[in-house]
Amino acid sequence: MILAFETSCDETSVAIVKDGQILSNELYSQIRHHRKFGGVVPELASRLHAEYVDQILDRALASASVNLSDISHIAVTVGPGLEGALLVGITAANTLAQFLNVPLIPVNHLHGHIFAAKDEFKLRFPAIVCLASGGHTMIIEMPDPYQFKFLCNTMDDACGEAFDKVARMLDLGYPGGPQVEQLAKSGAITVPLPHPVKPKKNMFSFSGLKTAVLSAINSQNYTREDVAASFQFKVAEILAYKLEFFIKQHHYEQLILCGGVFANQTIRSHLSNSLSIENVVVPSLKLCTDNAGMIGLAAESYLQHPKIQQFKMSCYPQLGLNFPGVK
Ligand code: KG4
Ligand code: ZN
């Protein structure tokens, strides 16, 4: 029975996970506090995590009908993320682990996004993963559940960041992704947007697309709805183009789509239907964006690692794809 904490950005979340199932996954979203600033304010995020983490812990225990004495392990996101925000979750997890005398498992937030799919699907390897969130846009190869190899990264903006910036251009609030998707529902794909120049095969680029969206808005030739629909569909095409390139190179048993951007229905369905790989899995909507359930699922996988038995506990704001504390 794993108790998991996630406080890497602007969601305070605590979950209980057992045998690959999320028994509870409670969350306090700080969005309304950050909205007026147009983005996440790190200091405010840390303060709000500290204010809410124990209430969310109580809710997670109550909704799973679990007592603290039932917990066998405590998992916590240790990076990548905002340092002050991460430290709140780490402190809470560390304190409880000492109090209960149970092992602490430091979890990479990016692994959490990937293992979110485990709640509903059996993961198959070798897998290819596309992770698209507010901070990352990556294609990753996983020969097995314990190896994460970069195939493709972004050379400028992350995909979710591009959504957030386009939302701002369209006078929509923060976070932009859901609002662009909502506006796009009443639009048509009429705006000609360029596919980014392909600088390198292993790089995404979203900055040219953003500039093209700005020009389309300034030209006043298109409705805001059409701009939103066209931008969203172009992002789906960009992700699909790169994924297909790698899928053709190598045999993969499964494609795992994960991260906040895959909460977008158009992008989910375009990638599920247009690629030459049959087995495509996407976590349910609420497991695409940040939550502690996914951290508990990743921790469960860490516990089955054939070689690594101990992970060094620390805070790793700049963590890449590797296991925390293991080279
Ligand atoms: O995974 P996530 O919750 O947090 C990070 O680890 O970054 O992703 C948040 C990002 C934001 O940039 C947000 O605009 C984007 O995911 N996002 C969406 C949608 N929902 C969230 N982008 C497009 N369509 C959505 N429906
Ligand atoms: Zn995330």
Side-chain angles (χ1 to χ4, degrees):
M1 184 91 69
I2 300 179
L3 174 66
F5 289 86
E6 156 62 41
T7 64
S8 67
C9 190
D10 60 349
E11 322 279 1
T12 313
S13 182
V14 183
I16 314 271
V17 169
K18 188 177 184 224
D19 299 333
Q21 295 295 308
I22 299 176
L23 304 186
S24 66
N25 198 5
E26 295 294 322
L27 184 143
Y28 177 74
S29 173
Q30 305 178 352
I31 282 173
R32 68 189 175 88
H33 300 271
H34 297 287
R35 191 169 277 143
K36 54 181 174 286
F37 302 105
V40 178
V41 181
E43 268 307 305
L44 183 58
S46 320
R47 226 175 321 133
L48 289 164
H49 285 310
E51 200 175 321
Y52 284 92
V53 71
D54 49 351
Q55 294 174 39
I56 302 301
L57 167 64
D58 288 344
R59 269 177 29 197
L61 292 166
S63 69
S65 304
V66 160
N67 295 315
L68 275 179
S69 56
D70 301 325
I71 301 299
S72 64
H73 295 80
I74 297 185
V76 58
T77 305
V78 293
L82 302 169
E83 185 167 10
L86 289 164
L87 282 170
V88 177
I90 292 171
T91 307
N94 213 349
T95 310
L96 263 182
Q98 295 206 23
F99 174 70
L100 299 172
N101 196 23
V102 296
L104 196 53
I105 311 166
V107 175
N108 183 327
H109 181 82
L110 306 180
H111 298 175
H113 275 300
I114 298 170
F115 284 98
K118 228 177 115 189
D119 184 50
E120 281 175 72
F121 304 99
K122 181 169 169 37
L123 303 189
R124 298 184 183 281
F125 299 93
I128 181 166
V129 178
C130 182
L131 191 162
S133 68
H136 298 90
T137 312
M138 298 171 177
I139 298 179
I140 301 156
E141 179 174 288
M142 290 181 70
D144 59 47
Y146 312 109
Q147 290 185 72
F148 306 84
K149 298 181 179 170
F150 267 118
L151 293 181
C152 188
N153 209 340
T154 176
M155 59 186 290
D156 40 57
D157 288 355
C159 191
E161 193 182 353
F163 264 95
D164 295 333
K165 288 180 180 165
V166 164
R168 218 173 298 161
M169 294 176 199
L170 290 167
D171 294 324
L172 300 168
Y174 170 85
Q179 307 208 33
V180 170
E181 181 174 19
Q182 189 56 34
L183 190 66
K185 282 190 179 140
S186 33
I189 303 162
T190 54
V191 186
L193 293 171
H195 196 99
V197 253
K198 297 139 209 150
K200 278 189 189 164
K201 289 193 174 63
N202 60 347
M203 287 288 174
F204 284 113
S205 168
F206 293 98
S207 73
L209 176 60
K210 258 182 353 192
T211 312
V213 167
L214 189 59
S215 308
I217 295 170
N218 290 341
S219 75
Q220 299 187 337
N221 291 331
Y222 306 99
T223 64
R224 293 165 72 246
E225 288 79 2
D226 287 1
V227 171
S230 306
F231 164 74
Q232 176 178 273
F233 192 68
K234 183 52 78 177
V235 170
E237 284 186 333
I238 292 169
L239 296 175
Y241 179 88
K242 279 279 190 245
L243 274 166
E244 187 63 28
F245 171 80
F246 289 106
I247 288 166
K248 283 224 167 84
Q249 310 276 311
H250 191 81
H251 170 75
Y252 297 105
E253 288 288 327
Q254 189 173 61
L255 166 64
I256 303 170
L257 304 175
C258 58
V261 171
F262 289 108
N264 186 296
Q265 292 293 353
T266 302
I267 297 180
R268 285 166 86 92
S269 63
H270 184 69
L271 291 196
S272 301
N273 300 323
S274 69
L275 301 175
S276 65
I277 182 166
E278 251 173 51
N279 190 330
V280 183
V281 296
V282 201
S284 60
L285 285 192
K286 62 179 189 347
L287 293 184
C288 281
T289 46
D290 291 351
N291 67 91
M294 69 185 196
I295 302 304
L297 290 171
E300 236 179 26
S301 165
Y302 286 16
L303 287 175
Q304 290 153 9
H305 196 295
K307 294 207 185 100
I308 308 171
Q309 302 305 330
Q310 283 200 321
F311 301 90
K312 190 165 164 276
M313 192 64 204
S314 188
C315 182
Y316 304 92
Q318 309 290 344
L319 189 60
L321 270 180
N322 45 335
F323 283 99
V326 178
K327 289 244 166 76

